[in-house]
Amino acid sequence: VSAACRELRPMVSSTKQGVMVHDPKALLEHWVREYTGSGGQEFGWYSIDSVVEQTVKAAEVASLLEAQPLISGDVAADRLAPWKLPARGRIYIDIPVDLAGDGFVAAPLDEATLITCTPLDPTLWRLTDLGASPGHDNVKLADPAIVYWDVHNSDDIDSLEAAHHLGAFITGLL
């Protein structure tokens, strides 16, 4: 921890009370530049339901199959810091899930309305402490920093602005 604090100086410092963040915005921007993404295998799906409905439905199906779903991307960003209408769903799962029998059809990633990802980064499930997401369902969100990275690196025209709003929410927590 002390080596990380030295490397991240002056954004953070180590004190007797723990690690203190001095510049949350700079720390988040540093992280988004350094993190290479979750990696892994992505699967594209298409549904005519709204992006939010299909993302929640797919997460519920994945949960029943014990795939430990974590919602990220536009839908998670919309729950944390609403700003843009979700254009595509994204769910991290620890095992592949076939959604074909649940109202989805397989689709190329660039045409998909939902992407499921079995990531190489195993820390995604260790990072989140959000528990159940706000709302009527009982699905879990990925860690806000992961959601930020996903939105920031999306190719939608308004994704950088959405990431900016989500970044303000995240840095307000630090």
Side-chain angles (χ1 to χ4, degrees):
V1 171
S2 61
C5 286
R6 276 192 304 277
E7 182 179 326
L8 296 173
R9 202 176 314 157
M11 295 177 284
V12 301
S13 63
S14 181
T15 69
K16 290 180 183 178
Q17 292 78 28
V19 176
M20 303 299 293
V21 178
H22 303 295
D23 191 346
K25 184 178 178 184
L27 184 61
L28 183 62
E29 291 305 316
H30 173 79
W31 179 81
V32 83
R33 284 189 311 272
E34 294 294 319
Y35 185 62
T36 59
S38 63
Q41 184 66 46
E42 294 182 328
F43 302 92
W45 300 96
Y46 179 84
S47 170
I48 59 172
D49 293 336
S50 78
V51 170
V52 173
E53 290 172 342
Q54 62 183 277
T55 303
V56 170
K57 181 178 184 178
E60 289 171 346
V61 169
S63 186
L64 289 173
L65 297 172
E66 299 181 4
Q68 300 185 43
L70 295 174
I71 293 177
S72 189
D74 290 356
V75 175
D78 187 53
R79 292 196 180 202
L80 295 169
W83 186 80
K84 82 173 246 185
L85 184 64
R88 180 178 296 130
R90 182 172 188 81
I91 301 174
Y92 290 107
I93 49 179
D94 67 349
I95 57 172
V97 172
D98 184 357
L99 298 171
D102 296 290
F104 294 88
V105 294
L109 292 176
D110 62 342
E111 297 175 18
T113 55
L114 173 74
I115 294 175
T116 58
C117 177
T118 307
L120 290 174
D121 182 353
T123 65
L124 293 177
W125 286 271
R126 288 183 236 147
L127 292 174
T128 185
D129 62 358
L130 292 177
S133 66
H136 65 280
D137 49 46
N138 198 29
V139 295
K140 290 186 178 184
L141 301 181
D143 183 82
I146 297 296
V147 175
Y148 178 80
W149 192 93
D150 286 337
V151 172
H152 187 274
N153 288 285
S154 174
D155 58 2
D156 291 339
I157 194 164
D158 55 355
S159 291
L160 288 179
E161 186 68 20
H164 172 76
H165 286 275
L166 181 57
F169 167 78
I170 293 169
T171 56
L173 296 176
L174 299 177

